[in-house]
């Protein structure tokens, strides 16, 4: 490791993104202490520094260079209007931005919102979608508790983030249309690569994240097989390279090891059983490079 520069990452201080954001970093073997979550802290074994802030501020901090990278919902990024580079989609904290209306509202599609008052915390995203669809409505921007606005009479309906819909139902609203999907993303300034030293740290971090992520999508499979079925087994497991085959004491049998994608796992398992595989062991993979 050369130089003394550190990469600074902005992470939500406390909220829906916090835990998974920190987990993303710690799964890369990066140690830090989170006991007293102050504004800043540094990792112990990697040139990384954390800045704990409100999620709404993360795009601004990254854009202004207060932080080099950040983990934030795509919704906050799009709402901020800053053009930052999305370096990875992290997949967690996924939810949708939906239109929800009071029970009695006759909703026939976005055109039913013509001339209505819509409360939202995402006026930029909503207005661009309404404009695309040629709907004119008046937006009431509120920063929280969007779901109570129809009941208190300041809006006719709302546009808010939904994951299960329970909060909406509790407030007498029904979700009628999802208009935008989001999940947590890692962002960097678009000209960030000019800072060679910090870019190199980011590349190391991304390489570790990808390695962990690759491993999560795969299973390590080990089984015994009648030696004369090895061609069939190779065809079933397929994948990166031919499976590793080890002879057993009983020469009619072999032991086979391979890596199988999680998505194909059950069909592979059933096909292997069908050709006489026995003692199938399936193990999680902790790390895996390409
Ligand atoms: P802060 O105090 O940092 O401003 P917040 O209240 O704005 O926090 P959270 O409620 O913690 O933010 O949500 C952070 C992000 O989590 C959202 O911007 C969104 O990307 C994501 N998210 C996932 N599921 C939901 C959900 N059901 N409702 C709202 N946001 C969700
Ligand atoms: Zn926020």
């Amino acid at each position: 490791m050369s130089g003394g520069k550190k990469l600074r990452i902005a992470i939500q201080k406390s909220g829906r993104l916090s835990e998974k954001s920190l987990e993303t970093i710690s799964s890369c073997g990066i140690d830090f202490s989170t006991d007293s979550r102050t504004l800043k802290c540094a990792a112990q074994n990697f040139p990384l520094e954390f800045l704990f802030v409100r999620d709404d501020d993360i795009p601004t901090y990254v854009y202004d260079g207060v932080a080099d990278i950040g983990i934030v919902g795509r919704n906050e990024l799009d709402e901020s209007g800053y053009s930052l580079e999305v370096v990875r989609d992290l997949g967690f904290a996924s939810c949708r931005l939906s239109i929800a209306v009071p029970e009695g509202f006759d909703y026939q599609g976005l055109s039913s919102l013509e001339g209505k008052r819509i409360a939202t915390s995402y006026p930029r995203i909503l207005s661009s979608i309404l404009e695309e669809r040629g709907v004119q409505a008046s937006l009431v921007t509120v920063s929280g508790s969007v779901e109570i606005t129809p009941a208190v009479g300041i809006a006719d309906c709302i546009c808010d983030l939904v994951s299960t819909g329970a909060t909406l139902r509790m407030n007498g609203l029904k979700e009628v249309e999802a208009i935008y999907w989001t999940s947590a993303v890692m962002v960097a300034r678009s000209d960030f690569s000019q800072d060679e030293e910090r870019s190199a740290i980011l590349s190391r971090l991304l390489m570790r994240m990808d390695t962990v992520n690759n491993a999560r999508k795969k299973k390590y499979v080990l089984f015994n097989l009648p030696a004369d079925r090895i061609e069939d087994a190779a065809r079933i497991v397929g994948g990166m390279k031919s499976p590793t085959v080890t002879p057993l004491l009983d020469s009619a049998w072999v032991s086979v090891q391979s890596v199988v994608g999680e998505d194909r796992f059950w069909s592979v398992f059933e096909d292997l059983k069908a050709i006489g595989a026995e003692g199938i062991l399936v193990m999680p993979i902790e790390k895996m490079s390409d």
Side-chain angles (χ1 to χ4, degrees), residues 54-56 76:
R54 287 198 53 190
D55 70 338
D56 316 51
E76 290 296 342

Side-chain angles (χ1 to χ4, degrees), residues 216-251:
R216 286 204 177 132
K217 288 185 282 190
K218 311 270 186 188
K219 295 279 182 239
Y220 189 80
V221 182
L222 179 69
F223 52 92
N224 291 338
L225 188 76
D228 59 353
R229 303 307 298 268
I230 189 65
E231 300 282 320
D232 296 323
R235 193 175 30 76
I236 294 167
V237 296
M240 303 193 299
K241 300 239 169 72
S242 30
T244 307
V245 181
T246 322
L248 293 179
L249 199 52
D250 176 349
S251 64

Side-chain angles (χ1 to χ4, degrees), residues 10 27 33 40 43 63 73 83 87 96 110 130 143 154 170 200 250 253 262 265 280:
S27 69
S33 71
K40 266 166 68 173
Y63 186 80
S83 85
V87 291
R96 54 196 184 269
L110 282 184
L130 291 178
S143 61
I154 59 169
M170 257 164 39
D250 176 349
W253 287 79
E262 179 109 282
F265 173 73
I280 305 178

Side-chain angles (χ1 to χ4, degrees), residues 115-170:
K116 299 285 194 239
R117 295 166 304 163
I118 315 170
T120 187
S121 304
Y122 298 96
R124 182 189 288 264
I125 299 175
L126 177 58
S127 61
S128 86
I129 292 170
L130 291 178
E131 198 184 306
E132 233 170 65
R133 308 268 199 105
V135 177
Q136 293 203 329
S138 59
L139 305 195
V140 180
T141 304
V142 289
S143 61
S145 303
V146 183
E147 63 284 353
I148 65 159
T149 55
V152 299
I154 59 169
D156 303 304
C157 57
I158 70 166
C159 174
D160 201 11
L161 290 175
V162 183
S163 52
T164 63
T167 316
L168 293 179
R169 285 190 293 278
M170 257 164 39

